[in-house]
Amino acid sequence: MAENLNLLTSTQEVIKEALNKLGYDEAMYELLKEPLRLLKVRIPVKMDDGTTKVFTGFRAQHSDAVGPTKGGIRFHPDVTEEEVKALSMWMTLKCGIVDLPYGGGKGGIVCDPRQMSMGELERLSRGYVRAVSQIVGPTKDIPAPDVFTNAQIMAWMMDEYSRMDEFNSPGFITGKPIVLGGSQGRDRATAEGVTIVIQEAAKKRGIDIKGARVVIQGFGNAGSFLAKFMSDLGAKVIGISDAYGALYDPEGLDIDYLLDRRDSFGTVTTLFESTITNKELLELDCDILVPAAIENQITAENAHNIKAQIVVEAANGPTTAEATKILTERGILLVPDVLASAGGVTVSYFEWVQNNQGYYWSKEEVREKLHKKMVDAFENVYNTAQSRNINMRLAAYMVGVRRTAEASRFRGWV
Ligand code: GLU
């Protein structure tokens, strides 16, 4: 039978199993198997050449039982309704795992920002906010950056919302530039969270980070900061990649040089002649492998060839269900996406809290609070996996979905 690469149905299967293990019946699964709300919009944008192009966008809100929904907006040619739905469900799980008072949401626009001018991107960003304005807001649904969106895009979106609202509304969106109410440390938060769980996972496996061989797939926001943090900790980053290829040096790559040369979409390998493929990168002999790029990278096909002792998912959905099984059976410690990449939304929450109170924290305060959230979350998921003798993904889903299920029951929905 062909492997299930469908993000939505494979997520539903694990949610079902997690609810089952927690003792919830079919009715709770019926409620949580899909987002409560999904808005599909068409956004007309005047392009620089004078033509009008109509873009398709989505906003999914999985559950608002715990609180407002929260999650990024992705700009990518491959965005689909199903993907946005699955991503909104993962946000519910992430918020549950790091214990933030939110449910999950996610947005996406089918577009290729690499082919668009700044003016076109601004008009698209503002058009999206106008199109979804009825269902978003600082106490309803709070967007943030995701693949190919950044602080500038958040700034345009915040400005558009504030104009419509006729108030300055920094709490409408997170991941803003610092001068517009962004939080210290938000830009590097996902990578910092991944670094913390790598350190925790390494302790469990008796691996010394100093000198550990690390391979990172993807050199975008998460992957590039992560490479820097790992090399600063004394690890040897022996492989990195972007969408076009991968670089490998068994002695360790010069990360500062690569950071200096990458473009704003994380492309750097095109500058080199001697590259390997992304497929070869994943199978390199290393201690820690971090898929930090796109979905369905570790599958039944290559899971047997993974040589790392620890796999930490910094991307959303890089490992299939079948591959999760294989890695677990092989004794590889898999730290799932909904735990590993929760640092971003955690500092987004801190940003929103700071916007609401109008008082801003120092870098150190943010870092300390993020550290505690991630360490507690790792311990909770690890201990659940150990005590129930289940894999880390199922454990993370159990921890992540529990609160939303309980809140739904208290509200009398199920
Ligand atoms: N897009 C990020 C994620 O997938 C961050 C979401 C947020 O900060 O709300 O976790």
Side-chain angles (χ1 to χ4, degrees):
M1 202 178 66
E3 192 176 5
N4 182 6
L5 299 181
N6 183 301
L7 301 177
L8 184 60
T9 56
S10 52
T11 302
Q12 286 171 332
E13 274 168 30
V14 193
I15 289 200
K16 189 170 197 158
E17 208 181 337
L19 286 171
N20 206 359
K21 283 220 180 297
L22 289 166
Y24 287 100
D25 61 13
E26 192 62 25
M28 188 62 79
Y29 173 67
E30 273 303 308
L31 176 69
L32 299 179
K33 73 177 189 190
E34 293 235 0
L36 286 178
R37 196 173 293 115
L38 175 84
L39 183 60
K40 178 175 175 181
V41 294
R42 299 183 74 234
I43 312 157
V45 175
K46 282 260 179 324
M47 305 303 277
D48 290 348
D49 64 5
T51 60
T52 295
K53 198 165 164 189
V54 184
F55 292 88
T56 300
F58 305 95
R59 185 74 192 171
Q61 299 173 344
H62 175 237
S63 171
D64 52 11
V66 170
T69 47
K70 179 96 192 77
I73 301 169
R74 170 175 293 210
F75 282 13
H76 200 277
D78 300 336
V79 163
T80 64
E81 183 175 319
E82 286 224 327
E83 182 195 46
V84 175
K85 279 183 175 180
L87 285 160
S88 75
M89 292 160 76
W90 293 340
M91 287 311 301
T92 293
L93 299 167
K94 286 188 204 186
C95 293
I97 289 168
V98 278
D99 199 18
L100 313 178
Y102 295 135
K106 197 73 159 209
I109 302 179
V110 187
C111 67
D112 193 346
R114 291 165 295 195
Q115 315 287 336
M116 294 170 71
S117 71
M118 288 293 271
E120 290 167 344
L121 277 175
E122 176 174 353
R123 293 189 287 280
L124 177 62
S125 303
R126 290 184 185 276
Y128 178 79
V129 171
R130 288 194 299 275
V132 301
S133 64
Q134 287 188 335
I135 64 160
V136 294
T139 55
K140 283 199 234 174
D141 180 12
I142 305 127
D146 197 83
V147 174
F148 289 169
T149 51
N150 56 23
Q152 174 62 77
I153 291 174
M154 300 305 108
W156 289 324
M157 290 187 170
M158 190 280 261
D159 183 65
E160 191 65 26
Y161 188 83
S162 294
R163 288 185 194 201
M164 278 191 297
D165 207 25
E166 298 180 357
F167 284 102
N168 190 38
S169 298
F172 157 64
I173 203 162
T174 58
K176 300 177 293 293
I178 303 270
V179 289
L180 293 182
S183 177
Q184 296 290 342
R186 175 61 187 88
D187 53 352
R188 58 202 56 209
T190 307
E192 225 164 84
V194 177
T195 306
I196 295 163
V197 297
I198 288 178
Q199 287 172 299
E200 295 306 301
K203 274 187 222 159
K204 299 287 182 203
R205 284 294 157 103
I207 295 175
D208 191 354
I209 293 289
K210 255 198 174 30
R213 294 162 310 153
V214 180
V215 169
I216 301 170
Q217 185 194 33
F219 214 52
N221 177 275
S224 62
F225 273 119
L226 179 67
K228 173 78 181 138
F229 297 157
M230 294 314 293
S231 73
D232 286 352
L233 285 171
K236 242 200 256 177
V237 180
I238 60 168
I240 65 110
S241 75
D242 58 26
Y244 307 97
L247 303 174
Y248 169 55
D249 182 346
E251 295 310 318
L253 296 158
D254 183 347
I255 297 302
D256 286 328
Y257 177 74
L258 296 176
L259 288 175
D260 194 47
R261 304 304 302 272
R262 78 188 266 282
D263 72 10
S264 59
F265 296 104
T267 305
V268 71
T269 64
T270 44
L271 303 171
F272 295 81
E273 264 170 23
S274 162
T275 57
I276 59 172
T277 64
N278 261 288
K279 185 178 178 305
E280 288 165 331
L281 176 95
L282 293 170
E283 298 178 10
L284 285 176
D285 189 8
C286 65
D287 301 303
I288 300 164
L289 172 64
V290 187
I294 49 170
E295 291 113 12
N296 291 331
Q297 294 302 294
I298 306 179
T299 65
E301 227 170 82
N302 61 0
H304 284 291
N305 304 333
I306 302 294
K307 302 193 183 57
Q309 296 182 57
I310 299 174
V311 174
V312 179
E313 297 180 329
N316 288 309
T319 315
T320 64
E322 197 59 34
T324 300
K325 234 173 92 194
I326 297 169
L327 295 182
T328 309
E329 276 165 13
R330 292 185 53 217
I332 294 170
L333 178 56
L334 174 71
V335 186
D337 48 5
V338 286
L339 165 61
S341 70
V345 70
T346 301
V347 178
S348 272
Y349 165 61
F350 297 159
E351 181 171 330
W352 181 77
V353 169
Q354 293 169 81
N355 295 150
N356 291 346
Q357 66 184 9
Y359 177 76
Y360 289 84
W361 304 337
S362 67
K363 236 186 241 165
E364 292 68 34
E365 276 173 285
V366 171
R367 190 173 297 145
E368 203 179 295
K369 287 182 167 69
L370 172 63
H371 192 264
K372 176 156 175 41
K373 281 273 186 210
M374 294 306 298
V375 171
D376 289 354
F378 181 89
E379 276 303 306
N380 196 359
V381 171
Y382 187 82
N383 291 338
T384 303
Q386 294 289 307
S387 65
R388 300 231 180 196
N389 197 21
I390 54 178
N391 70 51
M392 288 280 282
R393 189 177 317 281
L394 181 55
Y397 273 55
M398 285 178 69
V399 173
V401 81
R402 177 186 277 138
R403 224 181 33 157
T404 298
E406 264 175 36
S408 303
R409 196 144 73 182
F410 272 123
R411 282 181 187 262
W413 292 353
V414 179

